[in-house]
Amino acid sequence: MTHDEELKARELADDKLITGAFQHLVDTYLKSRHRKKVDIITKAFNFARQAHKGVRRLSGEPYIMHPIAVAQIACEEMGLGSTSICAALLHDVVEDTEYTVEDLENIFGQKIANIVDGLTKISGGIFGDKASAQAENFKKLLLTMSDDIRVILIKICDRLHNMRTLASQPANKQYKIAGETLYIYAPLANRLGLNKIKTELEDLSFRYEHPDEYASIQQKLASTQASRDTLFDEFTAPIREALDKMGLKYSIKERVKSPYSIWCKMQNKHVTFDEIYDILAVRIIFTPNDRASEINDCFNIYVAISKIYKSHPDRLRDWLNHPKANGYQALHVTLMSHQGRWIEVQIRSDRMDEIAEQGFAAHWKYKEGDSGEIAEDEGELNDWLHTIKEILDDPQPDAMDFLDAIKLNLFTSEIFVFTPKGEIKTMPSGCTALDFAFSIHTFLGSHCIGAKVNHKLVPLSHKLESGDQVEILTSKSQHVQPSWINFASTAKAKAKIQAILRRESREIQKQGEDTLAEFLKKHGIENTNAVVDKLINLHNVARREDLMQAIGEKMVILGEKDIDEINGKNKSRKQGGWRRFVPFIGGKAKKDARQEQPELITVSDSFNRKKPIFITDDNIQQYKFMFCCHPIPGDDVLGFIDNKKQIEIHKRDCPVAAKLKASFGNRILDAKWDMHKKLYFDATIHLEGIDRIGLLNDVTAVISRQMNINIRKVVIDCGDGIFNGTFDVGVHDREDIKTVIENLKKIPDLQEVSRTM
């Protein structure tokens, strides 16, 4: 055969392959319940075929086979209509050919062009070389998703086909694509109720990332298939008998746990394959007489099979009256088989089964008419998209925070919480009373002082459980606290808290700047950076913003000492924002300790900078301990040789030290502690919680009587029922502080215990 003949034969084979695949797509579409718009689908196919002519995939097949396959998944496995099928056929045209979005709009209309445009924008992949770029791409994906859900549905179809054909890619590409799929696309598919696709994406990713483990589980599943079939037949025989007596039209299916979920359970529970007992589940799918009776029918089936097998009292899951946020509805019951094995039975109607497999798309929420309006039955999806919109509308400074916040919501399962009036709210599991407050309204969240859960008073950090009835308590004088971010778990609450704190912080800092400017003007002092730096040192803060915040909050009251500091008259302090440790023996200052201070260590030219310096009980007063981070024995520290060749001691994570490391690396020293719990040092503990009678007494009892630690200073504020206090204590080292904090955290109603600089 000549070269020309070979080419012609190949073209004929390609043509047959392409025509056959497209005909299969059309046949599938014609069997669906959508309006039959074969003409526009054929037009889109011919356009895409011409645009991708002559291009092949790595597997060697014509490129057009990929868009056809994506359209096939959209039609057959998601149940989408002609608009989505056309967009799937055209999804790579703008990116890979010279055609533009405007060209598509002129030929196929705005709706299809917009979806293809959305797909093109997010086609670069979620992961880039830089983490921030990765988050920004993810943000773009979600933005387009919020505009038209079909963008993300087709993107998931595209990813599924890429995963099915991943074998043709080199290994490094396989790991990248598989990791990306597990990280983003599988959770997205799950959140949209695409259970079947989610499972396949997970298994394909698992297959390429851990091929040996995948093969091992597949082999074990195959070898135990016969015993599972026997168990299934024996278990379902009396159930079939009971359902026949009820006169129901039904089918009973065997559901086998996926290799990926088996592997996850083996990892998380530290068990072997043989120790996993829920590999087999049974699914009863029935056709109700009418839509109104399907929930009653589910419970009637449950009652009938509970007479045959004993049910597990704690494992009844009612997703009928309270569907999951992704639309899933079913009744789950766990029954004890005659062989002594617990087996989960899932009871659902054929409509519920369709939604469980195809997700929100099974509702055909986007009508294929001209309006493109959303049907009313997608309320839950709209709520989720609305939450994402809110997060996107309030851009965060750190793109990775955004990514974490969205991932947090993608991966969570749901609980059901009741309002005081009995309305049901779907919340992520692990959420707190504060999350619930923000989910209802930002005003409610920002003025929340506590909550009543099942009529019992609880703090904002209280974790909610399914079935809880929650009443939020508010006060007009309450304001968002920085500590709230620690016990908010939902993306919405975290985003709102951070936005409010940033706004309030900017306002307070502005007040502080105005107050400082007036003070300096009154005393005839020029407002320069040098003046501000002196005040930063005086008031032991790290940054200009912190000083302005403190002045704005009236934590710092400007007065004579500030004038003296600016004019260099404050002789009671060493310049440069540092201090020496004053030794305390038995919690009391050593007599004449200040007069006995030895000379500071001065670094000579022969000093070996490669060796660590050791801070001991005897030489501790020869170092400068910096106000910017207030290090105490046990903290990870470093030394820095200053311009006077004296040694400053900073915490390693101190922001000032970070600048020093970047700018003066050759003057950094390794510093280590060699202390023996002889001396005491000042440390400050900050406490926050719900105020109650006796709380202060409980705190002092732990610190003074239980821990035998001296309290030097106490500042407390109990406004609006919130206990807020700082305790200056004398400790030997960081370990003492850690023990004190652990014991304080055991006190009821204390929500936040931390050491401050």
Side-chain angles (χ1 to χ4, degrees):
M1 189 183 289
T2 65
H3 179 64
D4 288 345
E5 287 173 333
E6 279 183 12
L7 282 176
K8 194 164 186 180
R10 188 174 183 182
E11 279 179 16
L12 285 169
D14 286 349
D15 191 58
K16 188 177 178 182
L17 182 72
I18 294 165
T19 306
F22 178 66
Q23 189 57 50
H24 177 54
L25 170 64
V26 171
D27 292 344
T28 308
Y29 172 67
L30 288 171
K31 288 175 190 171
S32 74
R33 284 176 263 173
H34 287 286
R35 270 193 275 162
K36 306 302 177 271
K37 294 185 175 180
V38 179
D39 289 351
I40 194 164
I41 292 173
T42 306
K43 184 178 176 183
F45 162 68
N46 289 329
F47 186 89
R49 185 178 188 178
Q50 185 61 36
H52 295 299
K53 192 173 184 180
V55 182
R56 294 187 178 274
R57 302 189 84 208
L58 283 180
S59 60
E61 69 177 14
Y63 192 88
I64 187 62
M65 292 299 291
H66 167 64
I68 294 172
V70 174
Q72 183 71 37
I73 294 168
C75 178
E76 186 175 1
E77 299 181 51
M78 282 196 187
L80 298 174
S82 62
T83 301
S84 302
I85 293 169
C86 290
L89 288 167
L90 298 164
H91 79 272
D92 278 334
V93 166
V94 174
E95 186 180 8
D96 294 344
T97 74
E98 292 180 0
Y99 289 105
T100 64
V101 175
E102 288 74 20
D103 293 333
L104 295 186
E105 188 173 341
N106 291 333
I107 301 167
F108 297 100
Q110 188 179 10
K111 215 183 326 177
I112 291 171
N114 284 348
I115 296 172
V116 174
D117 186 34
L119 286 159
T120 306
K121 283 176 184 170
I122 59 174
S123 64
I126 306 303
F127 295 96
D129 295 331
K130 298 177 182 176
S132 59
Q134 157 195 335
E136 287 305 317
N137 281 337
F138 189 37
K139 199 169 182 175
K140 271 194 270 181
L141 182 147
L142 289 160
L143 267 170
T144 52
M145 173 182 167
S146 299
D147 290 336
D148 193 326
I149 192 68
R150 286 173 291 196
V151 171
I152 199 63
L153 291 174
I154 297 166
K155 188 64 185 173
I156 290 171
C157 296
D158 180 37
R159 176 49 56 113
L160 179 58
H161 186 248
N162 285 336
M163 289 301 296
R164 286 173 177 173
T165 56
L166 198 57
S168 59
Q169 295 280 357
N172 63 330
K173 222 31 182 333
Q174 287 177 352
Y175 301 146
K176 173 197 175 291
I177 294 169
E180 186 176 280
T181 300
L182 266 186
Y183 187 74
I184 292 201
Y185 287 98
L188 265 178
N190 182 51
R191 198 64 178 80
L192 293 167
L194 304 164
N195 183 60
K196 197 173 177 183
I197 288 174
K198 182 264 302 189
T199 303
E200 188 177 350
L201 287 172
E202 287 175 342
D203 282 345
L204 287 167
S205 299
F206 175 45
R207 176 181 165 188
Y208 287 103
E209 287 201 315
H210 304 282
D212 294 338
E213 287 94 332
Y214 177 83
S216 171
I217 291 172
Q218 284 285 63
Q219 185 269 321
K220 284 172 182 171
L221 281 172
S223 65
T224 55
Q225 181 67 50
S227 62
R228 271 199 313 278
D229 288 346
T230 303
L231 176 63
F232 175 78
D233 292 340
E234 290 177 1
F235 180 76
T236 56
I239 292 176
R240 290 179 191 278
E241 206 175 302
L243 296 181
D244 288 340
K245 283 180 184 176
M246 293 171 70
L248 284 171
K249 185 181 175 185
Y250 67 90
S251 64
I252 300 181
K253 295 179 182 176
E254 178 183 11
R255 191 230 65 182
V256 179
K257 208 173 185 70
S258 71
Y260 176 72
S261 58
I262 291 171
W263 181 73
C264 285
K265 196 157 194 176
M266 288 167 66
Q267 302 302 308
N268 297 335
K269 303 279 186 186
H270 305 289
V271 294
T272 63
F273 179 90
D274 298 323
E275 292 173 292
I276 298 175
Y277 291 108
D278 61 345
I279 288 175
L280 173 70
V282 171
R283 195 169 283 161
I284 299 172
I285 301 159
F286 68 94
T287 304
N289 293 325
D290 57 74
R291 175 79 185 267
S293 69
E294 64 179 348
I295 290 178
N296 282 337
D297 289 345
C298 287
F299 280 104
N300 289 336
I301 292 170
Y302 163 59
V303 170
I305 62 178
S306 296
K307 290 175 182 176
I308 305 167
Y309 299 109
K310 186 178 179 181
S311 64
H312 195 300
D314 298 328
R315 291 167 84 175
L316 178 68
R317 299 285 180 266
D318 177 12
W319 303 112
L320 297 171
N321 295 305
H322 314 301
K324 288 187 181 183
N326 61 13
Y328 180 81
Q329 267 187 300
L331 184 64
H332 290 195
V333 56
T334 303
L335 302 173
M336 176 61 77
S337 70
H338 296 320
Q339 292 84 356
R341 292 273 295 272
W342 288 111
I343 295 177
E344 185 181 75
V345 179
Q346 301 167 356
I347 305 165
R348 58 206 201 196
S349 68
D350 43 16
R351 181 191 66 86
M352 294 174 192
D353 186 61
E354 191 173 21
I355 292 168
E357 295 304 313
Q358 294 185 343
F360 282 115
H363 292 293
W364 289 283
K365 296 179 180 72
Y366 281 93
K367 298 167 183 172
E368 294 292 315
D370 295 332
S371 66
E373 289 177 354
I374 304 169
E376 291 176 3
D377 58 354
E378 62 169 346
E380 291 284 3
L381 177 64
N382 274 346
D383 289 346
W384 187 55
L385 294 181
H386 182 67
T387 299
I388 290 172
K389 276 277 199 190
E390 283 191 338
I391 295 166
L392 295 169
D393 290 342
D394 180 33
Q396 302 208 30
D398 188 346
M400 286 310 295
D401 285 348
F402 170 82
L403 186 61
D404 291 341
I406 294 291
K407 263 192 69 192
L408 199 71
N409 270 13
L410 289 182
F411 283 91
T412 50
S413 54
E414 295 87 19
I415 61 169
F416 300 102
V417 182
F418 294 87
T419 67
K421 292 181 179 178
E423 295 171 19
I424 295 173
K425 294 282 181 184
T426 305
M427 298 290 294
S429 63
C431 71
T432 62
L434 184 64
D435 293 314
F436 181 75
F438 273 104
S439 76
I440 295 172
H441 200 280
T442 303
F443 179 85
L444 200 66
S446 57
H447 291 80
C448 179
I449 56 168
K452 281 185 179 178
V453 174
N454 306 324
H455 309 292
K456 182 184 173 186
L457 194 62
V458 297
L460 299 180
S461 60
H462 177 83
K463 288 197 174 179
L464 302 178
E465 295 179 1
S466 250
D468 281 347
Q469 188 166 35
V470 186
E471 179 186 353
I472 300 299
L473 308 175
T474 61
S475 167
K476 286 183 180 177
S477 57
Q478 173 68 298
H479 295 286
V480 171
Q481 306 295 319
S483 61
W484 287 11
I485 205 73
N486 298 320
F487 44 83
S489 67
T490 61
K492 180 177 180 178
K494 281 179 180 286
K496 290 296 179 188
I497 290 166
Q498 287 171 336
I500 292 166
L501 287 174
R502 283 198 302 274
R503 188 173 66 244
E504 288 183 351
S505 182
R506 285 194 295 269
E507 289 170 1
I508 292 168
Q509 284 175 29
K510 181 69 172 66
Q511 290 171 12
E513 286 177 357
D514 293 344
T515 303
L516 177 61
E518 283 178 27
F519 176 78
L520 295 176
K521 186 178 179 182
K522 180 181 173 184
H523 291 87
I525 299 169
E526 190 179 352
N527 191 349
T528 64
N529 287 338
V531 166
V532 174
D533 286 344
K534 287 181 179 180
L535 295 179
I536 287 170
N537 285 337
L538 173 66
H539 295 289
N540 188 19
V541 292
R543 303 172 306 152
R544 178 191 179 98
E545 290 84 356
D546 298 334
L547 176 66
M548 300 308 165
Q549 185 89 10
I551 295 171
E553 289 175 341
K554 297 188 169 50
M555 298 291 286
V556 166
I557 305 297
L558 299 170
E560 288 300 320
K561 68 180 186 304
D562 298 280
I563 301 296
D564 290 344
E565 183 75 19
I566 293 165
N567 294 328
K569 295 177 183 176
N570 195 347
K571 302 300 181 186
S572 63
R573 287 176 45 84
K574 297 285 181 183
Q575 295 300 310
W578 62 275
R579 59 169 185 155
R580 300 196 203 211
F581 264 126
V582 178
F584 288 85
I585 309 296
K588 293 183 179 178
K590 188 178 175 184
K591 190 179 178 183
D592 299 326
R594 295 186 187 277
Q595 281 73 38
E596 294 173 8
Q597 288 178 356
E599 287 295 315
L600 293 167
I601 291 173
T602 304
V603 175
S604 63
D605 292 338
S606 60
F607 186 86
N608 188 344
R609 302 185 184 201
K610 293 180 181 178
K611 282 189 174 181
I613 56 169
F614 288 90
I615 306 166
T616 68
D617 295 312
D618 298 323
N619 71 11
I620 192 166
Q621 293 183 75
Q622 294 177 276
Y623 297 101
K624 293 179 174 180
F625 287 85
M626 307 311 291
F627 283 125
C628 52
C629 54
H630 191 69
I632 66 169
D635 286 334
D636 289 332
V637 291
L638 55 77
F640 173 71
I641 303 168
D642 67 11
N643 293 333
K644 294 181 181 178
K645 297 204 170 179
Q646 293 163 341
I647 299 174
E648 298 178 359
I649 304 296
H650 293 265
K651 285 187 190 175
R652 286 184 212 159
D653 57 359
C654 166
V656 174
K659 292 176 185 173
L660 297 176
K661 283 182 276 189
S663 306
F664 306 101
N666 61 331
R667 286 156 65 178
I668 299 292
L669 304 173
D670 181 15
K672 299 185 184 297
W673 299 99
D674 185 17
M675 310 292 289
H676 300 90
K677 290 187 180 284
K678 292 179 184 176
L679 307 177
Y680 287 84
F681 306 95
D682 286 329
T684 303
I685 297 172
H686 180 71
L687 304 137
E688 279 190 32
I690 303 291
D691 190 31
R692 60 171 168 79
I693 294 171
L695 183 57
L696 179 60
N697 187 47
D698 290 349
V699 171
T700 55
V702 166
I703 297 174
S704 297
R705 291 199 290 275
Q706 186 180 328
M707 303 293 301
N708 196 28
I709 284 174
N710 189 26
I711 300 174
R712 304 192 193 286
K713 181 183 175 185
V714 177
V715 178
I716 60 167
D717 177 10
C718 299
D720 298 323
I722 303 294
F723 179 90
N724 203 315
T726 54
F727 289 71
D728 289 356
V729 295
V731 294
H732 290 301
D733 51 30
R734 182 189 177 94
E735 196 60 40
D736 281 0
I737 280 283
K738 186 180 173 187
T739 308
V740 173
I741 289 172
E742 284 173 356
N743 284 310
L744 287 172
K745 282 183 175 177
K746 295 173 186 175
I747 296 174
D749 297 320
L750 269 190
Q751 307 305 322
E752 186 68 27
V753 185
S754 59
R755 172 189 165 196
T756 60
M757 284 189 178

